Amino acid sequence: MKKKTFAFVLVLILAAGLFVRLYRLDLRPMHHDEANQAYKFGELLEKGEYRYDPAEHHGPTLYYFSLPFAWLSGQKTYAELNEITLRLVTVFFGLVMILIAALAAGKYLKESEKLWAALFLAASAPVTYFNRFYIQESLLAAFALAFVICLWRFWQKPDYREGAWLGLTAGLLYATKETSIIVMAASLLALVGVWLLGRQKNRAEQNRKDEKSQKIEKRENEEKTPGGDARRAWKPLLLALFIFLTVSFVFYSSFFKYPQGFLDSFKALAGYGQKGLEAGWHRHPFWYYFGLLFYHHGAPGSPVFTEIPFLALALFGMMISFIELSKSKKSSENFRAYLAALAVITALVYSAIPYKTPWNMLTFWVFFLIVAAIGFDYLLRLIKIRQSKILLTGILLIWTGWQIYLVNYYFYAYPDNPYVYAQTSPDFMRLVNRLNDLSQVDSEGKNIFIRVIAPPEETWPLPWYLRRYGQVGYWTASEQVETLKPARLIIMSAAEAVKRQEKELAGYVAQYYSLRPDVVLVLLVDVELWQTYLLKKVEGLPRRQRP
């Protein structure tokens, strides 16, 4: 394939990937995890301060890479931020991931395999859904893919250039999320496994040769075996380690302001390990991730969500990769087996951890998609009829396009969608709009006093949506508030509302809104304010529509 043709097709894939990620980017209400990350970033944006919290929020790369997007948007405070600005960060790294798949593998994948890998990453429904999510996973997946490829490249050619890339990608990966150690360990295990299989195959072949040819072959293998010359590799490896530690330290120490953050990142591993095992209400069975990908059907009348075509292609790609490994004489064929082994190992490790959320599968699903691209490319080469190739490709693209539409634009926040998890209900936006309308008719405007009385798990993402109000107070329990006055607006959890005396509530109009499935918030509106609001609303109607 000519370079111009490759570049043209890649640009088309990037344009398509960008469109499906950008279109109606603010459609879905902010998830409480997104709102938490936004609040943390808001502190960095306004005060220039960030301290790594080993118990919450994960690594710092998301926040520091968000700064340029806020600056370019002219947003200098937390209140000025919006959903699109924040989600553009993860959209950007979704595109970076596509570019890495297409460009970083070099000679180890065919040009057609790279383009199919880029297309599958651009058009996978779960990938596009989580790329529109302001959490760490999109950055983690991009850096994980870069690290995995750079590790292979270093193994093949352990020089200073490859060592620098390996250290940089490892540092960025570790500075993104604590679960990065899973990817690092799995990639090393896959690399060693492929090397051992290749070595065993070479020994079997050498046993069939005479003694003289064995000596010649052994000498040639020692010269050509990746990583075989330890004396040549250890200095670039030290460079990689130095860059890894430097990049990690710079981010975790908040650019040298809080050095303790770097040490805390290592201490946090034990805490997150315990959290992963205990799991709580995030505990799900071993097959949870593949259950979401394989088949999901919600309420009667809802469509089927499935990634079966990509799963089947990935299994076929794995089979082809391991068959090629048994016959391989080129490192590129070993690279495919390395990716296949890595996909299996990471998926098994993530599945074995009791703590599970749908976005965690993004890291290993990226590897599955690249292996699926390898399988699809091989399948097309088996098919000799051109029209059959076009038909098969068209069916695959139509199917994945339909899945993208369903998960991103139709069931974007509804439980029928397998990737929706503890998602803020669209009904919650009625509460947000009602607060905005009421503040416009109150004399205080955005400085209207609002009380929020609810436990933390029933509060977020309220702080995000109330960020532009001047007087908002938060209490976790009703017992902490003796009287609801002088607040004109009160937001309470249903459990806290029943604790208040009926006489006290008589001064307010109660309205009910869904925060998440099975979580209801109560909005109490001062009777006088409510009457003012209704009067203004009536005055705004045409005369023939007034009561």
Side-chain angles (χ1 to χ4, degrees):
M1 184 182 297
K2 294 181 179 179
K3 289 184 178 181
K4 287 185 178 180
T5 304
F6 180 87
F8 177 73
V9 175
L10 180 57
V11 169
L12 290 180
I13 292 172
L14 286 170
L18 182 62
F19 174 78
V20 298
R21 286 161 173 78
L22 285 182
Y23 181 67
R24 303 191 70 184
L25 189 55
D26 58 348
L27 176 64
R28 178 173 39 80
M30 287 285 276
H31 191 278
H32 62 270
D33 276 0
E34 289 185 286
N36 264 283
Q37 306 298 346
Y39 178 78
K40 190 75 172 177
F41 170 61
E43 293 182 328
L44 175 63
L45 179 64
E46 289 186 355
K47 305 174 185 177
E49 294 182 1
Y50 166 82
R51 289 197 183 193
Y52 172 68
D53 183 351
E56 294 288 346
H57 297 98
H58 303 298
T61 56
L62 177 65
Y63 315 118
Y64 282 106
F65 283 121
S66 297
L67 285 172
F69 291 86
W71 293 336
L72 290 172
S73 301
Q75 297 164 1
K76 300 178 181 179
T77 65
Y78 176 62
E80 292 174 349
L81 290 171
N82 58 48
E83 293 89 339
I84 291 178
T85 298
L86 295 174
R87 290 171 178 170
L88 277 174
V89 181
T90 50
V91 166
F92 172 79
F93 280 96
L95 297 182
V96 168
M97 182 172 58
I98 296 170
L99 282 171
I100 291 171
L103 302 177
K107 64 181 180 180
Y108 304 114
L109 289 178
K110 297 176 181 177
E111 301 293 276
S112 54
E113 291 173 331
K114 296 175 191 176
L115 289 177
W116 286 122
L119 180 60
F120 286 7
L121 290 173
S124 166
V127 174
T128 57
Y129 187 79
F130 293 123
N131 281 168
R132 294 160 59 92
F133 219 86
Y134 185 67
I135 54 177
Q136 280 81 4
E137 263 57 35
S138 290
L139 282 72
L140 183 71
F143 295 143
L145 180 58
F147 169 78
V148 162
I149 294 174
C150 287
L151 179 62
W152 179 265
R153 289 168 61 114
F154 181 81
W155 174 251
Q156 296 297 310
K157 187 181 179 183
D159 59 16
Y160 289 107
R161 178 185 175 185
E162 298 300 339
W165 279 112
L166 178 62
L168 176 62
T169 54
L172 291 171
L173 178 61
Y174 180 69
T176 299
K177 197 175 180 182
E178 297 76 11
T179 51
S180 59
I181 63 169
I182 296 175
V183 177
M184 292 180 182
S187 58
L188 288 171
L189 184 59
L191 186 66
V192 171
V194 169
W195 174 70
L196 288 175
L197 289 173
R199 188 178 180 183
Q200 185 178 5
K201 178 183 69 68
N202 291 337
R203 282 180 176 176
E205 290 177 354
Q206 287 176 357
N207 290 336
R208 292 192 292 267
K209 298 177 182 179
D210 57 50
E211 186 177 346
K212 183 177 179 180
S213 61
Q214 275 191 23
K215 291 179 180 179
I216 297 172
E217 187 76 16
K218 183 178 180 181
R219 187 163 55 250
E220 289 178 350
N221 284 339
E222 286 177 351
E223 293 173 356
K224 296 180 180 180
T225 299
D229 189 352
R231 291 172 297 178
R232 185 164 55 92
W234 74 270
K235 288 183 179 180
L237 188 60
L238 282 179
L239 175 64
L241 180 61
F242 173 75
I243 294 176
F244 161 70
L245 293 174
T246 300
V247 172
S248 302
F249 181 81
V250 166
F251 277 102
Y252 276 111
S253 67
S254 308
F255 286 77
F256 311 106
K257 292 182 180 178
Y258 308 106
Q260 182 63 33
F262 181 63
L263 296 177
D264 287 342
S265 72
F266 294 101
K267 296 177 182 177
L269 297 177
Y272 278 102
Q274 183 178 0
K275 184 178 179 181
L277 294 174
E278 293 177 350
W281 70 280
H282 293 291
R283 178 180 291 274
H284 296 286
F286 181 87
W287 292 107
Y288 174 74
Y289 293 124
F290 285 102
L292 298 180
L293 293 166
F294 187 77
Y295 179 86
H296 182 83
H297 187 263
S302 68
V304 171
F305 298 84
T306 179
E307 294 291 295
I308 286 179
F310 283 144
L311 283 169
L313 287 172
L315 289 175
F316 181 66
M318 290 176 187
M319 181 181 69
I320 295 302
S321 299
F322 287 119
I323 289 174
E324 286 185 343
L325 175 63
S326 65
K327 304 175 181 177
S328 67
K329 293 183 180 179
K330 299 178 181 178
S331 58
S332 60
E333 294 165 349
N334 292 352
F335 179 65
R336 296 184 182 92
Y338 164 65
L339 288 178
L342 176 64
V344 172
I345 294 169
T346 51
L348 290 175
V349 173
Y350 272 97
S351 297
I353 298 172
Y355 185 104
K356 295 181 179 71
T357 55
W359 45 83
N360 284 337
M361 70 181 179
L362 182 62
T363 305
F364 71 78
W365 185 236
V366 166
F367 303 137
F368 268 78
L369 289 172
I370 296 176
V371 177
I374 294 170
F376 190 62
D377 184 76
Y378 190 90
L379 180 63
L380 291 180
R381 283 188 276 121
L382 292 178
I383 300 173
K384 303 303 180 183
I385 303 173
R386 184 182 179 187
Q387 290 82 351
S388 298
K389 294 182 180 182
I390 295 173
L391 179 62
L392 181 61
T393 303
I395 292 173
L396 183 64
L397 292 179
I398 291 171
W399 160 79
T400 194
W402 173 242
Q403 294 292 302
I404 286 173
Y405 168 75
L406 291 177
V407 304
N408 288 301
Y409 315 122
Y410 196 83
F411 292 95
Y412 56 91
Y414 299 94
D416 284 335
N417 184 339
Y419 314 117
V420 165
Y421 188 82
Q423 171 62 45
T424 305
S425 170
D427 185 62
F428 175 78
M429 298 308 297
R430 291 196 308 114
L431 169 61
V432 174
N433 294 332
R434 177 55 53 85
L435 291 172
N436 183 60
D437 292 341
L438 291 168
S439 67
Q440 290 180 6
V441 301
D442 188 80
S443 59
E444 296 292 330
K446 290 293 183 180
N447 282 322
I448 187 172
F449 181 30
I450 302 175
R451 287 189 191 274
V452 179
I453 308 172
E457 63 272 15
E458 297 186 27
T459 300
W460 291 93
L462 260 177
W464 165 258
Y465 287 103
L466 298 181
R467 68 193 184 281
R468 292 169 184 164
Y469 289 84
Q471 296 190 77
V472 182
Y474 293 90
W475 292 265
T476 59
S478 188
E479 291 79 7
Q480 298 171 350
V481 184
E482 293 183 3
T483 175
L484 299 178
K485 293 293 183 179
R488 304 265 275 172
L489 295 172
I490 299 145
I491 303 170
M492 305 178 73
S493 66
E496 295 301 326
V498 299
K499 297 178 181 179
R500 309 305 297 193
Q501 294 182 3
E502 186 175 341
K503 180 180 180 181
E504 186 176 22
L505 297 177
Y508 294 90
V509 175
Q511 300 173 0
Y512 301 86
Y513 301 90
S514 173
L515 174 63
R516 288 186 294 276
D518 302 323
V519 179
V520 175
L521 291 179
V522 182
L523 172 63
L524 301 178
V525 185
D526 181 83
V527 171
E528 182 183 349
L529 175 59
W530 180 246
Q531 291 175 346
T532 304
Y533 166 72
L534 292 179
L535 181 61
K536 293 286 186 182
K537 192 173 182 180
V538 169
E539 289 176 350
L541 294 174
R543 288 186 177 276
R544 64 179 180 274
Q545 295 183 16
R546 295 180 185 179

